[in-house]
Amino acid sequence: MQIPGFQITRKISQGGMSSVYLAIQQSIGREVALKVMSPTLAQDAHFSERFQREATIVGQLSHPNIISIYDIGKHHGLNYIAMDYLAKGSLSQKMRNGLSGLEAVKILKQLASALAHAHHCGYVHRDIKPENILFRADDNAVLSDFGVAKAIKQNLGVTHAGTVLGTPNYMSPEQAKGQPCDGRSDLYSLGVVFFEMLCGKLPYQAEEAVAIAIKHLTAPIPKLPPQHALFQPLIDELLAKNPDERIQSGEELIERIELLETGLKTPKISYKSLAASGEFKLGLFQRLQALVFVAWQKLTPLFISENSQQEKLQQASRYTTAINANQDSGVFEEHALTHSAPGKSHNLAILLSASLFILLGFFAYQNSFTEVSAETSSLNDAAELVIEQDANDKESLADKSSNIEQKPKAQLASAEQENMSERLAALNVDQEPTLILNGALENDSKMRQETAEPSLSKQRAATNLNQEGKATFALLNSEQKQSSTLSEQSSEVNTEAQAASYPLTIRSTPAADRIRILNIKPKYYAGIELVAGSYLVELSKANYKTLKRWVRVSDKGVSRRFTLSKQYQQGETFTDTLNEYSSAPEMVVVPSGSFSMGSKLDSNSLPIRQVIIDKSFAVSRYEISFADYQVYLDDKKVTQSAPNDQGWGKGNRPIINISWQEAVDYTQWLSEKTGRKYRLLSEAEWEYVARANHAGSYWWPQNSRRMANCRRGCNSDFAKLFGTQTSPLGYYPANPFGIYDTAGNVSEWVLDCHTDHYLGAKANAEPRLIPACTERTVRGGSHGDSIEKISSHSRQGVDMETRSNKIGFRILAEI
């Protein structure tokens, strides 16, 4: 097979509609994935339209987690698309090797971001599955194959009502029924993929496609295994049968994921107690497993190697998740008990065997002493996580085990807080608390009622009888002397219920619309009385970023004030105040994304590379004007006059005759005056802004005229027979980002030291800096250049001390 301009190396994959080949784009020597439509389908106008539409859609979706298109065409009846070659393969291949929960959540978050962008641009993918999820060399996930994508609000005439497109195993209920789909259908499919990443199997399986579709429509949402129970609420919302009951958008899914991320990070933990609780129901064998595990936790530090600590923490995390998930089956993974440190398996086996025989004897006695009806009571153990914030602690694991603070927590029983421990583990916080209470605080009257109850008699040993007569077992995991009795431990559990309460008041600037304390049930109000502990406070306000902070209440009232950060939207503008008479330049918010930087039309702009802009920023709507610069000179009380305007006018004209360092000094002054970080743009940021999601040499159609101020080819009102001059700011149209004069008028200083190539350049937006460089890059061309020199990729190196009537600058604000 021959495709002009491409040298085909080998076939990568083949599907029913197309084949994908690894090829070299000969014009620039770039590896690409060449997708070629099946010849048998090429004659069908319906399929040809769908194939070509994939490139059209992806061309409008500039995002780091969506595949990029380089070329599209037709040769000898073969439709083809040249796109990113993603060497790390598909998600299907990754799942064969197994994925951790943390890896699955990372992939889920990246795909949620991709779908949020696609849905925002008006497209629903309709075929989310592992084969369509590929990976870059840095292991970031990329969504591909928009062949059956469809505009949400447009009828493109390709898919008719009642037509079912997609893959049955991943179809949403509404998609399986052939009903209209929106972005929530993609989120359902993504939920199926997430389930498969966690479990290694699909949630619904059957021999025939119809049977699978029926299960998607009617079967209950399956449960995750105990080690992944933390993700069950997320799975439940993603796989809801009714779209209105699902997570509604990619942005909302990202928020939920961010709440989970801290819970997925492995903290330093110690098992402080197996506290009695009537909320967890485990059988005798599972109780034995948990108790043997706790004995191992206490004794293995004497001989376990330092290299096995991470494995031990992972096992502890699995056990905690399984117990807190309240699984009716009570089944734990056996390898959580059997894995040991390298070289120590023999010692651990002896320890576990001895512990098991001892505990069997103990339980034989204990069960005869505390036997109750299986229909009315059960013996339950719950492991309680203690998060210890000690980043600088370098003690060995054995030393830590011998120095755990002996302070049992209050028994704060409440049926309404059954899943509180899971919710705490899932919360995304900016600070780790010293202590997380296992359960929610009741109101003051409830606390007073509990503290009035007498402590249990020592003669009842380890058995506590609650008000319903149910027996619960309390085993305190502590380093007390062997002579300490279980009844003494039980009495200590109840002492903290008598703790005093202290007022907590939260304020914010600006005032929050809502304040919540996420790890307790009562609603927040100013001065709420709380017992000593750590509380996760959430402050939210429209158009501001939601803030979550841990607040510690100790032995006195606490009053805290927080500052909320503005949540900027794409295209939003703002102006920072400098003083009562003047403001900073108007700024426009530019979204994150990715683009192909450079051009084969200019050797200075090679090699072409894909650049990722990983976060949004704001850029000045106009080039910095004489009026803007005069405010700086007045504030700094600079004695010299403003730069020469060549007699063309000041005020609303772009500043000229200014050196690179003078431009940098201006941005540093702005930062000092406003408290916001201002700077020049990097080359990558500048080209991203100038292109405004357009792949060509200009952001406007190639044959457009009167779009910029240049000497030849622009038909400019400011280009005369014997010379040119700058135009007033905003005289010509803004690009799609709302930015003016990115082409022509004046060239603009950027941060980068100049090189005449992009060899070795990074794939991010960082500026290229060279020690002791004397040349900086200017971008965009000027009023004195021809139209070829004002393209989005045009660049030039200029001595940084140069002052020219063709060079000005633009600024960036970090948000």
Side-chain angles (χ1 to χ4, degrees), residues 192-251:
V192 176
V193 172
F194 185 45
F195 186 97
E196 188 176 6
M197 285 193 287
L198 294 173
C199 301
K201 63 180 182 179
L202 290 161
Y204 304 115
Q205 302 179 61
E207 294 293 331
E208 298 180 355
V210 173
I212 295 172
I214 291 173
K215 287 189 175 183
H216 280 288
L217 289 165
T218 61
I221 299 171
K223 297 298 181 183
L224 294 169
Q227 65 268 30
H228 294 313
L230 177 67
F231 305 115
Q232 191 65 53
L234 194 59
I235 287 290
D236 290 343
E237 289 192 83
L238 286 171
L239 299 186
K241 310 297 182 185
N242 185 346
D244 293 335
E245 296 174 359
R246 279 179 219 148
I247 291 174
Q248 297 294 294
S249 67
E251 292 89 344

Side-chain angles (χ1 to χ4, degrees), residues 597-610:
M597 184 172 180
S599 171
K600 63 183 180 182
L601 301 176
D602 187 347
S603 61
N604 287 339
S605 301
L606 290 175
I608 297 173
R609 71 187 192 280
Q610 193 73 10

